[in-house]
Amino acid sequence: MPMTSKTAALSCAAIALVAGMALRSAPARAEGSVVVYCGVNEEWCRAAASAFQEKTGIHVDMTRQSAGEIFARLRAEKDNPRGDIWYGGTGDPHLQAATDGLTEPYKSPVVGQLRDWAQDQARRSGDRTVGLYLGVLGFGYNEQELKDRNLTAPACWSDLLKPELEGEVQMADPNSSGTAWTMLATIVQLMGEDKAFEYLVGLNKNIDQYTSAGAAPAQAVGRGETIVGIAFQHDLINAAKQSPAVKVVSPCEGTGYEIGSMSLIKGARHMDEAKKFYDWALTPEAQAIAAKNGSFQVPSNTASAIPPESPDTSNIKLIHYDFEKYGSSAERTRLLSRWTKDVKNGG
């Protein structure tokens, strides 16, 4: 049948409509790649990589390690950087990397939308890092294991020294874990250095093992492998969602906190793509990925919804954490050396 001008016009419109739908449904066109060193949990790392790649078409090569491990890696790769951006992990090592000149200054256009503590992190580092989220330190215990052994639930840091908890407390090694470094720095600020190390030597008698990852003790408590795990509360909350026996504690003496951060690596081979990831990671869209993947920190963007599971900082006795001092490489090196000698090796 011959095509009339009206039929032809409709056909062209239909073709245009289908083409438009195809363009909208097609994945973003590839535009380079970015190497991300990720310091948050594995599920969040994977989800963030997938979401950014789908949105931008930029291929993401993601490696997950603890904050201390990433910091050590940046130092080792200083003369030949392999990574482009350090995403997440406790803020102290990010500040130490900034002091050591391992990261690149960058002020994202999104920074003005961030909470004060996130902007403060950027200011104190000369814009070499920025606050991504806030997490509160604490410990968790397995209520069922306590009941089975007729033990009293711990409520304070001092309770973790009780003889009945011998071999039943787990924490990470501060040499590799940003979580454990925050714990070490917190105890020093709470008690003073000498008394803090007396405490840590006493605690060592009750330690089951020092893990490499900061979230591992929370997971061990959830599985009933240890009674008490020292960790950030968002990791403990995630464990509690899997196992109702896990109870989360904000220690009665007070506790420290982290400003989980993000930094561009100096000498990055894919700096333009890294900056795009950096800007995207500070948006509410990107920050919502955390809670969907079992991470319940307080996000840094003021427009980001705070997960209902997140610790209520207004009801927790937080110390005045000295990020300037404990974010310096000199203090980190000194305290880690003393901890390894006096506590872990019992020298």
Side-chain angles (χ1 to χ4, degrees), residues 55-321:
K55 183 177 180 68
T56 65
I58 297 171
H59 174 74
V60 179
D61 182 357
M62 180 81 75
T63 299
R64 197 276 158 197
Q65 290 182 294
S66 65
E69 291 170 332
I70 296 174
F71 177 51
R73 185 169 187 168
L74 262 58
R75 295 178 71 176
E77 296 176 356
K78 181 177 181 180
D79 296 328
N80 186 25
R82 305 293 180 85
D84 299 313
I85 185 168
W86 178 1
Y87 174 59
T90 50
D92 290 0
H94 282 267
L95 291 172
Q96 291 149 21
T99 300
D100 291 351
L102 300 174
T103 49
E104 189 75 19
Y106 176 61
K107 189 167 185 178
S108 169
V110 187
V111 165
Q113 301 173 23
L114 305 184
R115 302 181 198 278
D116 289 344
W117 46 262
Q119 295 194 45
D120 287 344
Q121 186 79 335
R123 281 192 288 269
R124 67 172 60 96
S125 69
D127 290 317
R128 290 178 183 269
T129 193
V130 70
L132 190 61
Y133 56 81
L134 185 147
V136 178
L137 185 69
F139 59 82
Y141 62 86
N142 189 299
E143 187 175 48
Q144 189 57 52
E145 292 292 323
L146 283 177
K147 287 181 178 178
D148 290 346
R149 304 183 198 198
N150 198 28
L151 299 177
T152 303
C156 307
W157 291 116
S158 59
D159 292 335
L160 304 189
L161 300 183
K162 291 180 177 179
E164 55 263 36
L165 290 177
E166 182 178 355
E168 294 292 354
V169 180
Q170 194 173 113
M171 67 174 279
D173 186 324
N175 287 289
S176 63
S177 163
T179 303
W181 166 256
T182 303
M183 188 271 187
L184 170 57
T186 292
I187 297 299
V188 169
Q189 290 172 84
L190 270 173
M191 303 180 183
E193 187 172 330
D194 289 340
K195 287 189 176 180
F197 273 88
E198 287 178 17
Y199 172 84
L200 292 165
V201 168
L203 179 64
N204 185 61
K205 297 174 183 176
N206 287 350
I207 292 292
D208 164 42
Q209 66 169 306
Y210 293 107
T211 63
S212 62
Q219 296 160 2
V221 170
R223 293 190 296 265
E225 296 172 358
T226 188
I227 293 178
V228 177
I230 299 169
F232 281 118
Q233 292 190 26
H234 50 260
D235 290 322
L236 293 161
I237 291 166
N238 187 38
K241 288 177 78 71
Q242 311 303 317
S243 171
V246 177
K247 303 303 175 186
V248 184
V249 177
S250 298
C252 69
E253 301 95 335
T255 193
Y257 61 100
E258 66 164 336
I259 296 174
S261 299
M262 178 171 58
S263 307
L264 294 175
I265 299 170
K266 188 173 183 179
R269 301 176 186 182
H270 309 100
M271 186 60 78
D272 289 343
E273 291 87 349
K275 287 179 178 178
K276 288 179 182 178
F277 187 98
Y278 192 107
D279 295 341
W280 170 81
L282 295 175
T283 64
E285 171 196 353
Q287 294 191 349
I289 293 171
K292 294 175 184 176
N293 289 275
S295 289
F296 304 107
Q297 298 94 325
V298 177
S300 62
N301 195 305
T302 55
S304 297
I306 297 176
E309 299 93 338
S310 295
D312 183 356
T313 56
S314 66
N315 292 326
I316 298 173
K317 187 178 179 181
L318 295 177
I319 66 170
H320 183 67
Y321 196 101

